[in-house]
Amino acid sequence: LYIEFTRPINLELEKINFRINDEIIGIIEINKNLNDLENFAEPYIDEKTKEKSIRKIYLVQNDFLKILGKKNEKYKVGTGTIEGRFYIDIYIKDLKTNKTFIIKRDNIHIYYESAGIKLFSM
């Protein structure tokens, strides 16, 4: 999960739900401030606006493999065995207002390779 923002923010990455259709098949509980996540690249400075983009990452691969199985044996997502679509819901909490909002990603493509899983969202 890659996150970019232009100044330190008071948001918390609460959790990520993994769903097939409307069924939750797994949950990753995170509860970390976005500012405290690992950097994944040097900050990017926009040439026009001169704003600095802070780039953070939260790796979900190991949790994802626990949910689906190392060889996709639990749900067989993307193999034609299971009907339906794969989704993730990202829960972010505003620590100032204590309100949580959900980012729903519904165009998820999953590929298993010998090197491990690859997950793409468009």
Side-chain angles (χ1 to χ4, degrees):
L1 178 65
Y2 295 96
I3 302 166
E4 287 191 34
F5 44 93
T6 56
R7 62 185 176 280
I9 51 180
N10 206 15
L11 298 176
E12 179 180 85
L13 178 58
E14 284 187 318
K15 67 180 178 177
I16 300 174
N17 286 351
F18 293 92
R19 295 187 295 119
I20 295 176
N21 297 325
D22 289 329
E23 178 188 353
I24 294 174
I25 61 169
I27 300 172
I28 303 172
E29 294 287 343
I30 302 164
N31 299 312
K32 285 190 173 184
N33 190 300
L34 294 184
N35 298 305
D36 297 335
L37 297 178
E38 181 181 338
N39 294 323
F40 78 87
E42 290 296 316
Y44 168 80
I45 298 175
D46 186 292
E47 290 181 20
K48 290 181 183 177
T49 65
K50 300 301 180 202
E51 282 189 317
K52 181 169 90 170
S53 288
I54 301 165
R55 301 172 177 187
K56 298 289 184 169
I57 188 171
Y58 184 82
L59 298 175
V60 297
Q61 182 174 359
N62 290 337
D63 294 301
F64 194 73
L65 288 173
K66 288 177 191 172
I67 293 166
L68 292 181
K70 288 190 178 189
K71 296 184 179 174
N72 196 17
E73 68 272 8
K74 293 182 182 177
Y75 293 94
K76 299 186 182 339
V77 174
T79 63
T81 303
I82 190 162
E83 294 296 322
R85 303 221 14 194
F86 185 76
Y87 304 89
I88 60 173
D89 303 325
I90 304 164
Y91 288 73
I92 306 237
K93 183 179 194 176
D94 184 330
L95 297 172
K96 288 180 184 176
T97 64
N98 223 21
K99 290 185 181 180
T100 298
F101 56 95
I102 305 168
I103 300 168
K104 295 184 176 271
R105 302 302 303 190
D106 63 354
N107 197 6
I108 306 295
H109 302 279
I110 302 167
Y111 303 95
Y112 275 80
E113 296 181 355
S114 60
I117 190 170
K118 291 190 178 189
L119 176 71
F120 298 96
S121 174
M122 307 235 183

